[in-house]
Amino acid sequence: MANGELGAIMRYPVKGLRGVEMASATIDAQNMLQHDRRYVLATSTSLGQDGLAGWARKRNFLQLVNTPKLAELGIDYDDATTTLTISRNGRTICKGNLEEAMGRTVIEDFLSAFLKNDIAGSPRIMSVPGTHFSDMEQPYISLLNRASIQDFGDRIVGQFVDPMRFRGNFLVDGLPAWSELEWAENQTITLGDVTFRMVHPITRCKATSINPDTAQSDINVPLLLRKGMNHLFMGVYLEATSSGTVKAGDHLTVG
């Protein structure tokens, strides 16, 4: 049996933009975190003429791997009013309610100007009721072991690697490096009073090569994982099997 601690909880209300740290999160069984990847950025060019009717693969949306300039933007998000605030260099640029046409237009107009040299077409904020746009169609929650990321940086990359590159939901401390890759499929992971099912490790793509602070592609993460670890994994997917609330500092138990 292994033990750790939930160091941080992150969610990403708009896929492709920065995450927002949460002190606690309400968990519903067989669901992602509330409001996580609820909205996406797309263009008619990226989506085609049929638009968006349900879950779609990440290649259809604006994200760091195809639009790295998005990393320059900071965000805040308010659940109660579904209001997104965008900042740059610490200064608020615009804000809008993503459930109202006027609010979306305010954000879209800014992004059109901000990305005018980087994308084809005009950016649109889109959502589909009841749909979350994780990289996987299933409603999984991602867990990162910060010791694994530190070991990867120290031993293989030779420099600090920001965990934010990997856009995880749960950032866990106190576990041995890479021990999460030894968890068996369907093994029970408990955080506080909420249980989860181990699904499988997360295979990493070139999006993780983008520095979340500089928007530059500066570390070839997949290549270094393959060379240094002989795999492409960082973190694991979990599925919530009970409902409840998790909070930073909660104890993590495996098995």
Side-chain angles (χ1 to χ4, degrees):
M1 181 175 292
N3 297 292
E5 182 177 288
L6 182 54
I9 305 168
M10 301 290 298
R11 69 171 169 197
Y12 303 81
V14 181
K15 189 177 181 71
L17 296 182
R18 286 180 185 261
V20 177
E21 187 167 355
M22 309 164 67
S24 64
T26 301
I27 305 295
D28 295 319
Q30 283 78 51
N31 281 285
M32 291 172 58
L33 299 188
Q34 292 179 355
H35 297 263
D36 191 34
R37 277 86 169 185
R38 177 173 174 178
Y39 302 94
V40 292
L41 296 171
T43 68
S44 57
T45 304
S46 68
L47 269 185
Q49 297 306 309
D50 294 334
L52 188 64
W55 182 87
R57 295 187 181 280
K58 61 184 178 182
R59 64 171 177 261
N60 294 287
F61 309 123
L62 304 184
Q63 47 174 329
L64 293 186
V65 70
N66 56 33
T67 316
K69 195 175 182 184
L70 291 172
E72 297 177 16
L73 302 177
I75 75 158
D76 198 7
Y77 178 78
D78 181 76
D79 287 44
T81 61
T82 57
T83 296
L84 178 73
T85 302
I86 291 183
S87 60
R88 193 178 185 199
N89 300 322
R91 185 170 62 88
T92 297
I93 302 293
C94 59
K95 64 169 58 179
N97 182 345
L98 299 186
E99 289 299 299
E100 294 180 354
M102 181 60 71
R104 290 192 299 274
T105 298
V106 168
I107 304 292
E108 290 164 354
D109 286 350
F110 163 72
L111 291 173
S112 291
F114 180 67
L115 299 172
K116 65 180 184 296
N117 297 321
D118 296 82
I119 64 172
S122 299
R124 292 288 178 264
I125 296 173
M126 300 182 180
S127 62
V128 176
T131 301
H132 293 257
F133 293 93
S134 175
D135 291 352
M136 304 288 289
E137 188 169 5
Q138 297 88 345
Y140 297 153
I141 296 171
S142 56
L143 178 148
L144 297 174
N145 178 0
R146 285 200 276 211
S148 301
I149 300 171
Q150 182 173 345
D151 181 68
F152 176 61
D154 291 348
R155 200 164 50 83
I156 297 169
V157 182
Q159 68 183 72
F160 171 74
V161 174
D162 190 340
M164 292 303 110
R165 286 179 185 262
F166 302 99
R167 306 177 76 79
N169 295 127
F170 295 154
L171 279 66
V172 173
D173 300 313
L175 295 176
W178 308 106
S179 61
E180 71 280 12
L181 300 185
E182 300 170 5
W183 299 347
E185 183 179 349
N186 296 324
Q187 191 163 5
T188 297
I189 313 298
T190 304
L191 281 168
D193 298 324
V194 183
T195 57
F196 301 84
R197 175 180 73 89
M198 167 65 181
V199 180
H200 57 65
I202 303 172
T203 301
R204 292 303 177 172
C205 70
K206 286 193 296 185
T208 54
S209 297
I210 305 295
N211 186 311
D213 289 322
T214 67
Q216 302 299 310
S217 179
D218 60 355
I219 300 172
N220 190 330
V221 169
L223 177 67
L224 290 170
L225 278 171
R226 185 178 292 283
K227 282 188 171 182
M229 298 300 301
N230 202 31
H231 62 64
L232 291 172
F233 304 137
M234 185 64 80
V236 297
Y237 280 125
L238 306 178
E239 181 182 39
T241 52
S242 71
S243 300
T245 301
V246 296
K247 60 186 183 300
D250 274 353
H251 197 60
L252 178 144
T253 304
V254 180

